[in-house]
Amino acid sequence: MEHYNVDQKIQDFIAKIEAKNPNEPEFLQAVKEVAVTVIPFIASRPQYNGMKLLERMSEPERTIIFRVPWVDDQGEIHVNRGFRIQMNSAIGPYKGGIRFHPTVNLSVLKFLAFEQTFKNSLTTLPMGGGKGGSDFDPQGKSDMEIMRFCQAFMTEMCKHIGPETDVPAGDIGVGAREIGYLFGQYKKIRNEFTGVLTGKGLAYGGSLIRPEATGYGVVYFAEQMLKTIDQDFNGKTVTVSGFGNVAWGVIKKVEELGGTCVTISGPDGYIYDKDGITGDKIDYLLELRASGNNRAEDYVKKFPGAEFHAGKRPWEVKCDVAIPAATQNELDLEDAKILVENGVVCVTEAANMPSTLEAINHFLEHKVLFSPGKASNAGGVATSGLEMTQNSIRLNWSSEEVDTRLKEIMIGIHKACRDYGKEEDGYVNYVKGANIAGFVKVAEAMLAQGVV
Ligand code: 2IT
């Protein structure tokens, strides 16, 4: 009876969110994953019951959608759409990245902002959840076009953000160069030099280790996961997708810990390098990304010992640890089945929501160690939080100091997931653990602050 009631509550909740947010599949996917784990928890806690906490968390506090007009190098006018989702500010100013990619739409940014709220809570730092971006495609654009687009985007966004209000950062398509142009325009319009963005260059308030932080944090987290089964990275074969900033940090740290990454991927297919992506090859990844081609295939031109598999994903390669580091829904049930058949022991998400719900369930059913991005990729935003701290105290910390704090934070997140996600047989359900641990802090703050 008890179970029937909770299942009914989950179904009713999902039906309500579906009715309210039609045509937003990614957002619904993210909310569903949280609902099935958090609603039973809420039902078991009288203080949370009836407070509509998850319903409130699923409605952005504010959604800003704006026109971004800009002029290309040929003098042609273009109109893109800009967004900033200010999801939840219960525990701190809105915080989260800006994505420039043609797939950006309201659904994608709402899913990212929703996950960001839980992720930021898990870091234990005082940051609420937000996300923004544009359907602008940076591929093939000149440097001056990128600059003009960033300026046009910030001309509107600067009215809605600030160091105590909302602090954006990078995400797909937004790196150090874009953050620089965005920062310059904010400073010019507002006449303020503040920590309004993170991921800044070192010369103007950035933090050491921020570029590496997401990838390093993922590997620190995976190290903790492996430790629960008395294993480590030494001698492990690791498959990675993507070839951006996150994949780069992952590959660097895995090498340091004695493992070998053998794949990267792009929209065109994946690279299998049986000798391992090590040494100079890791530095080459930065070049590959900076080329702006968005093609993984270029890797084999430089390193002919590697193979390129057009139109395929790296999950068919046998591995011990899989680290999806590209984008949402890049690993589906079929991929999950192959990974499990091939004996994967640990899947640590580095991208945001790279696995479909069906893939996640397959991993959980087979008791594979599986961690959701909102837990394992939180090192990026955590280090953004450390950048905010450094900006506030007007000091810069050493790499060692930032890296030590990052590692401590990742160990802390792992522990929180374990505390809330450990099942009777000892298996840790990190999805459940991350969702509940992330929920509790936000929920407590919302309860204390009343219905606002
Ligand atoms: O998804 C993410 O956590 C990010 N893109 C980083 C966000 C941030 O504010 O550093």
Side-chain angles (χ1 to χ4, degrees):
M1 193 60 199
E2 175 85 343
H3 272 288
Y4 171 78
N5 281 337
V6 173
D7 287 348
Q8 193 61 48
K9 272 187 186 159
I10 295 171
Q11 277 177 30
D12 291 349
F13 174 81
I14 290 172
K16 208 167 176 179
I17 300 293
E18 267 172 357
K20 214 166 184 177
N21 304 278
N23 310 314
E24 294 183 11
E26 294 86 0
F27 176 60
L28 291 172
Q29 183 183 338
V31 174
K32 274 183 200 167
E33 185 219 281
V34 167
V36 295
T37 48
V38 167
I39 290 176
F41 175 77
I42 294 174
S44 72
R45 294 289 191 285
Q47 73 271 31
Y48 296 151
N49 251 314
M51 299 308 292
K52 302 273 167 80
L53 288 163
L54 197 55
E55 198 172 324
R56 286 195 262 162
M57 286 180 203
S58 305
E59 186 68 20
E61 288 178 13
R62 193 174 297 104
T63 301
I64 301 145
I65 305 182
F66 50 98
R67 179 170 73 200
V68 190
W70 59 282
V71 182
D72 72 17
D73 291 344
Q74 282 69 47
E76 194 181 327
I77 297 169
H78 297 266
V79 180
N80 283 98
R81 187 169 291 169
F83 301 85
R84 186 71 185 164
I85 316 293
Q86 298 183 330
M87 198 73 184
N88 195 299
S89 63
I91 64 168
Y94 309 107
K95 180 86 196 84
I98 297 281
R99 178 177 292 191
F100 290 165
H101 195 269
T103 56
V104 162
N105 58 36
L106 188 59
S107 171
V108 167
L109 293 181
K110 277 175 67 180
F111 115 64
L112 289 162
F114 180 78
E115 292 225 322
Q116 198 81 45
T117 302
F118 290 78
K119 185 196 307 196
N120 294 2
S121 166
L122 284 168
T123 67
T124 71
L125 302 176
M127 302 182 289
K131 202 84 190 190
S134 175
D135 57 358
F136 172 72
D137 186 359
Q139 209 182 317
K141 303 294 188 294
S142 72
D143 189 44
M144 287 297 107
E145 288 172 333
I146 297 283
M147 183 183 79
R148 287 196 294 275
F149 180 79
C150 288
Q151 291 174 341
F153 186 86
M154 184 54 93
T155 299
E156 177 59 32
M157 197 175 62
C158 75
K159 300 169 191 165
H160 311 284
I161 64 174
E164 313 294 341
T165 312
D166 185 352
V167 182
D171 193 80
I172 294 170
V174 178
R177 173 179 64 166
E178 290 74 20
I179 292 294
Y181 293 146
L182 291 165
F183 184 82
Q185 185 74 351
Y186 181 90
K187 185 167 69 64
K188 168 132 184 148
I189 299 176
R190 300 281 296 254
N191 197 23
E192 279 171 13
F193 191 110
T194 59
V196 66
L197 290 158
T198 61
K200 300 185 292 297
L202 291 177
Y204 61 99
S207 175
L208 288 162
I209 303 291
R210 179 64 190 90
E212 293 89 342
T214 311
Y216 280 16
V218 166
V219 178
Y220 293 149
F221 195 93
E223 209 182 5
Q224 295 301 309
M225 295 170 80
L226 289 170
K227 210 169 150 188
T228 65
I229 53 167
D230 294 322
Q231 295 193 24
D232 59 31
F233 268 103
N234 212 7
K236 291 265 187 304
T237 299
V238 182
T239 52
V240 179
S241 62
F243 65 89
N245 190 47
V246 178
W248 167 72
V250 165
I251 294 170
K252 253 176 91 149
K253 188 53 81 178
V254 167
E255 180 184 46
E256 224 180 281
L257 297 180
T260 311
C261 293
V262 292
T263 64
I264 53 163
S265 71
D268 53 338
Y270 79 89
I271 295 290
Y272 172 55
D273 188 336
K274 64 175 183 334
D275 303 324
I277 302 166
T278 56
D280 291 353
K281 295 173 182 170
I282 302 178
D283 301 330
Y284 169 73
L285 293 181
L286 294 178
E287 262 177 65
L288 186 63
R289 179 161 59 99
S291 74
N293 275 341
N294 217 8
R295 278 201 345 234
E297 188 177 3
D298 292 358
Y299 183 100
V300 283
K301 291 188 194 139
K302 183 96 178 169
F303 305 108
E307 296 166 12
F308 174 66
H309 296 264
K312 295 205 160 169
R313 296 159 160 177
W315 316 127
E316 61 188 28
V317 175
K318 188 173 162 53
C319 66
D320 305 304
V321 180
I323 304 187
T327 193
Q328 66 268 9
N329 293 328
E330 53 158 317
L331 194 163
D332 63 17
L333 180 59
E334 290 312 305
D335 301 315
K337 283 182 179 166
I338 296 171
L339 281 162
V340 172
E341 270 167 36
N342 281 340
V344 72
V345 294
C346 178
V347 180
T348 306
E349 289 189 341
N352 291 311
M353 207 170 76
S355 309
T356 63
L357 287 174
E358 295 76 20
I360 294 175
N361 287 335
H362 191 75
F363 292 132
L364 298 182
E365 276 161 25
H366 288 80
K367 307 269 175 191
V368 169
L369 294 174
F370 172 83
S371 83
K374 65 168 82 76
S376 37
N377 77 23
V381 75
T383 307
S384 279
L386 300 177
E387 182 173 332
M388 289 167 74
T389 307
Q390 293 170 78
N391 293 162
S392 297
I393 62 173
R394 298 183 190 282
L395 280 175
N396 298 311
W397 290 334
S398 67
S399 309
E400 293 72 26
E401 170 116 35
V402 179
D403 197 26
T404 303
R405 287 178 189 270
L406 166 63
K407 193 163 186 179
E408 274 169 12
I409 290 170
M410 297 316 295
I411 292 173
I413 298 173
H414 182 270
K415 184 177 180 306
C417 291
R418 216 177 161 183
D419 289 347
Y420 282 109
K422 200 162 186 165
E423 294 183 342
E424 275 166 19
D425 61 359
Y427 173 70
V428 181
N429 180 338
Y430 289 91
V431 177
K432 181 174 151 193
N435 288 340
I436 296 176
F439 171 83
V440 167
K441 185 181 177 190
V442 180
E444 291 296 329
M446 287 176 74
L447 281 179
Q449 293 167 24
V451 180
V452 289

